Amino acid sequence: MSKRRFSSGWTALHIYGAAFLIFLYAPLALITVYSFNSNALNMAVWTGFTFDWYRTLFGMQPAGAAFDAAFTENPDRIFGVLRNSLIVALSASAISTVIGTATALATARYDFVGKRIYQALLFMPMIMPDIVLGIALLIFFVGVGFKLSLATIIIGHCTFLSSYVYIIVAARLAGMDNTLEVASADLGAGPVTTFRRVTLPLIMPGVIGGFLLAFIISLDDVVITYFIAGVDTQTLPLFILAMVRRGIRPQINALAVLLIMFSFVVASAGLYFRSRRN
Amino acid sequence: MAERSTISSQRRKALFVLLTPITLLLGAFFLIPLGIMVVYSFLEPGLYGGVVWSFYPYNYGRIFGWPLGGGEEFEPLYIQIILNSLYYAALTVIVTLVVCYPVAFWVSRMGPLAKNIVLFAITLPFFANLLVRIYAWLLLLRPTGAVNTALLSLGIIDQPLNMIFTEFAVIVGLVYVLTPFMFLPIYASVERLDWSLVQASQDLGATPFQTFRRVILPLTAPGIAGGCVIVFIPALGNFIVPSFLGGSKVQMTGNVIERQFLQARNWPFGSTLAMIVMASVLLLVLAYTLWMRRAANNERLAGAGHV
């Protein structure tokens, strides 16, 4: 009797869980379907399958005969924006990976005065609302006379990405004892050799995972970039923001789908490395 | 003795190398900018977006009604917007909590493979671009959007429902974007839940509701509290969700801050509003830390009592 009640509750929970997953993915699936809909006027009504929104996004000729020229995007802009985004994401995540990993090594392997202050400080950029960090950096850069550019975006991203990498690598170091490092030191290896030959290979999955997740968070950042990008520098999310503000057009769907797919691939790899055991 | 001092000097050198980068980064590009923002909130707005370097507490007076001076007037609108933002953030916390809590139990009772797959599926949308995720809800909720088109063609309604640019749309958007933040901490505490205690409670004749209230809820409270804090914070400062899904009808503090910086160009007043957001966040985090510390102490004392 009671077992039966439990199993009906379990069925209800299954249905609820499935509904939750649908809630998470349905909006993304909707954009994907829309991005292949040839109906230029009303996305919600299906008129046929097309690749035109993807083709015109990159300046290729549309295959559909009745194609409105107003829907084409200037491909040079898109490639420029893409380049900016990749430069920012690669530099910011590489710098943050080095800084975050170094910090994680310090807090995991050494005791020093003010360690708890550092640990608290490292959480601050992650809990600070994006808008506060964005405007604080804007005031600072303008105040000290830094020209807003790709460099200011990279610096801005490093302030919060270093904390992400720190947390991922520190978690890995916490789950690992230092026997091998001690052994290596006892055998006469210097600290640099020990790091290169013993510690780094052991924490490598965490470092790669941290780098990939930092990369994708940087690539997708909207709010902080929005404030410190300046007028003539645009990243992909800012480009999409400007497109949406000009009016909803089917090409936004195509660009959105490409961005989601790319993010999902990189983030999956990052999550895999982060959780991998040696 | 000599060897020992080489080791300690080596240690110091290593620590110096490891900690200098983060110290410079967070010092120069995090603490100093926030400090300057605090200073700006006490400066007089100049003409054409500049500032006048004189002590000027009246930016706060414009919001709270005191102190007033320098031609600033009390504008109750801002208190209203701040209270609204707190209300939307709180509502987002409650909805995400109610949505995620049962899901955490669902996932925790799965087999290892299914569990890993579902956990991955719940985490992944967090990495889809924020704008794209909000844009999707614009496509769903607008008058010619997917929801209205479906309901109209099924004959359930004969006029499009007015969903976009409402409080409802803003809450839905915030909930959608912040759900992973609530789910993960709750899941972590449900996963650690000791089911033998639940069994014991049932064996001793507790009703399911009593078991939930007296056993399950207190044991998962740390996860609930953590989730609430990390959902509330980004919800409070959000401006992308209300500007996409709230239009000009639903305003949050973030929208006002954005306008002060990019349109009205009154940076001191924008900094003042940002200070209020930052102060609320820091207070909340402080309260959470103290609460967690007390909970940990209580647990230790209870543990000692058993022995």
Side-chain angles (χ1 to χ4, degrees):
Chain A
M1 182 75 184
S2 114
K3 177 141 196 207
R4 207 188 142 81
R5 213 176 63 207
F6 179 75
S7 90
S8 79
W10 186 231
T11 311
L13 205 52
H14 268 311
I15 294 169
Y16 182 80
F20 178 73
L21 287 176
I22 291 171
F23 165 69
L24 286 183
Y25 283 93
L28 304 179
L30 182 81
I31 302 186
T32 313
V33 172
Y34 278 11
S35 75
F36 294 111
N37 183 2
S38 65
N39 192 337
L41 297 173
N42 188 351
M43 295 169 193
V45 177
W46 182 263
T47 54
F49 184 90
T50 183
F51 274 120
D52 278 357
W53 313 121
Y54 291 90
R55 296 171 66 91
T56 53
L57 201 55
F58 297 104
M60 283 183 269
Q61 284 306 308
F67 192 85
D68 190 338
F71 286 114
T72 48
E73 199 60 49
N74 179 356
D76 291 343
R77 291 255 345 254
I78 287 224
F79 286 120
V81 161
L82 216 53
R83 207 184 107 249
N84 283 346
S85 269
L86 288 175
I87 292 173
V88 167
L90 277 174
S91 328
S93 52
I95 298 169
S96 306
T97 302
V98 173
I99 297 179
T101 304
T103 315
L105 282 169
T107 59
R109 290 292 179 263
Y110 296 93
D111 270 313
F112 53 92
V113 184
K115 181 162 154 176
R116 298 205 33 192
I117 295 176
Y118 268 99
Q119 285 169 327
L121 180 63
L122 279 156
F123 271 96
M124 297 281 289
M126 294 185 41
I127 61 160
M128 198 53 66
D130 289 353
I131 193 165
V132 175
L133 190 51
I135 64 146
L137 284 166
L138 172 66
I139 299 173
F140 172 77
F141 286 137
V142 171
V144 299
F146 270 38
K147 194 181 166 334
L148 297 178
S149 63
L150 286 184
T152 53
I153 304 177
I154 293 170
I155 293 172
H157 284 194
C158 285
T159 55
F160 61 95
L161 293 179
S162 298
S163 297
Y164 275 98
V165 177
Y166 164 78
I167 283 167
I168 292 170
V169 178
R172 185 149 194 105
L173 279 163
M176 194 178 104
D177 65 30
N178 61 353
T179 322
L180 289 172
E181 286 154 303
V182 172
S184 160
D186 285 348
L187 292 170
V192 176
T193 315
T194 302
F195 172 73
R196 217 162 45 82
R197 293 302 201 59
V198 180
T199 318
L200 190 59
L202 284 172
I203 59 171
M204 208 50 182
V207 174
I208 296 174
F211 171 77
L212 291 171
L213 295 182
F215 175 83
I216 217 63
I217 292 171
S218 169
L219 190 78
D220 282 329
D221 180 73
V222 185
V223 177
I224 290 165
T225 316
Y226 180 70
F227 285 102
I228 56 177
V231 278
D232 40 39
T233 317
Q234 219 172 19
T235 60
L236 200 52
L238 295 188
F239 183 73
I240 296 178
L241 181 68
M243 269 175 112
V244 176
R245 283 190 171 165
R246 276 208 306 274
I248 292 174
R249 286 175 309 156
Q251 278 176 323
I252 301 176
N253 303 333
L255 188 55
V257 170
L258 293 176
L259 187 56
I260 296 174
M261 290 305 151
F262 185 69
S263 302
F264 277 5
V265 170
V266 179
S268 306
L271 291 171
Y272 165 75
F273 278 111
R274 191 188 65 177
S275 63
R276 203 176 81 172
R277 296 272 146 253
N278 285 90
Chain B
M1 193 69 193
E3 194 183 336
R4 207 199 224 147
S5 83
T6 6
I7 288 177
S8 95
S9 92
Q10 221 172 46
R11 247 181 56 97
R12 225 170 320 161
K13 216 164 71 188
L15 263 180
F16 179 78
V17 171
L18 294 176
L19 285 177
T20 302
I22 194 76
T23 312
L24 291 179
L25 179 75
L26 292 185
F29 301 115
F30 182 71
L31 293 178
I32 290 178
L34 287 177
I36 295 177
M37 188 188 88
V38 174
V39 172
Y40 253 64
S41 73
F42 289 101
L43 294 181
E44 185 179 345
L47 289 171
Y48 313 116
V51 287
V52 179
W53 284 86
S54 64
F55 180 67
Y56 190 83
Y58 313 122
N59 296 313
Y60 290 89
R62 197 171 157 190
I63 298 167
F64 296 115
W66 183 89
L68 284 173
E72 301 286 0
E73 278 172 36
F74 173 47
E75 295 174 67
L77 169 74
Y78 292 113
I79 287 257
Q80 193 56 52
I81 291 177
I82 292 168
L83 291 177
N84 275 349
S85 307
L86 290 168
Y87 165 70
Y88 294 144
L91 203 54
T92 305
V93 165
I94 293 167
V95 176
T96 49
L97 176 60
V98 170
V99 167
C100 293
Y101 200 72
V103 180
F105 283 88
W106 178 58
V107 179
S108 80
R109 309 299 313 256
M110 287 177 173
L113 178 67
K115 187 184 279 185
N116 279 335
I117 293 173
V118 172
L119 277 179
F120 173 73
I122 294 174
T123 316
L124 200 57
F126 166 75
F127 294 98
N129 190 283
L130 173 77
L131 270 181
V132 169
R133 282 183 288 160
I134 300 166
Y135 166 75
W137 283 95
L138 195 59
L139 296 183
L140 275 160
L141 298 180
R142 63 190 180 137
T144 58
V147 174
N148 272 321
T149 307
L151 291 177
L152 282 170
S153 67
L154 290 173
I156 296 170
I157 52 171
D158 45 38
Q159 293 252 355
L161 293 174
N162 179 28
M163 291 180 289
I164 198 75
F165 306 144
T166 60
E167 281 184 14
F168 167 77
V170 172
I171 299 299
V172 167
L174 288 171
V175 167
Y176 184 65
V177 168
L178 299 175
T179 288
F181 292 103
M182 183 61 90
F183 174 80
L184 291 173
I186 290 184
Y187 171 74
S189 70
V190 169
E191 186 65 31
R192 275 198 303 271
L193 185 66
D194 184 353
W195 285 94
S196 63
L197 294 175
V198 176
Q199 191 66 51
S201 158
Q202 283 171 340
D203 290 349
L204 292 169
T207 63
F209 178 74
Q210 281 173 324
T211 305
F212 174 73
R213 221 187 80 65
R214 297 298 183 83
V215 180
I216 298 178
L217 200 58
L219 286 174
T220 53
I224 295 174
C228 290
V229 170
I230 62 168
V231 167
F232 188 85
I233 290 170
L236 186 67
N238 212 293
F239 83 95
I240 300 272
V241 172
S243 80
F244 267 51
L245 302 177
S248 55
K249 296 231 181 70
V250 185
Q251 300 245 348
M252 291 179 67
T253 319
N255 304 85
V256 185
I257 297 174
E258 184 220 348
R259 268 206 309 280
Q260 294 303 323
F261 274 89
L262 301 180
Q263 289 157 39
R265 299 195 66 80
N266 185 341
W267 288 19
F269 188 60
S271 302
T272 307
L273 288 162
M275 271 287 290
I276 292 166
V277 172
M278 183 168 83
S280 329
V281 166
L282 292 179
L283 275 177
L284 185 67
V285 171
L286 186 69
Y288 170 73
T289 315
L290 292 177
W291 182 80
M292 284 298 279
R293 191 170 297 167
R294 219 188 58 190
N297 274 343
N298 285 346
E299 202 165 292
R300 217 178 50 225
L301 289 177
H306 283 302
V307 184

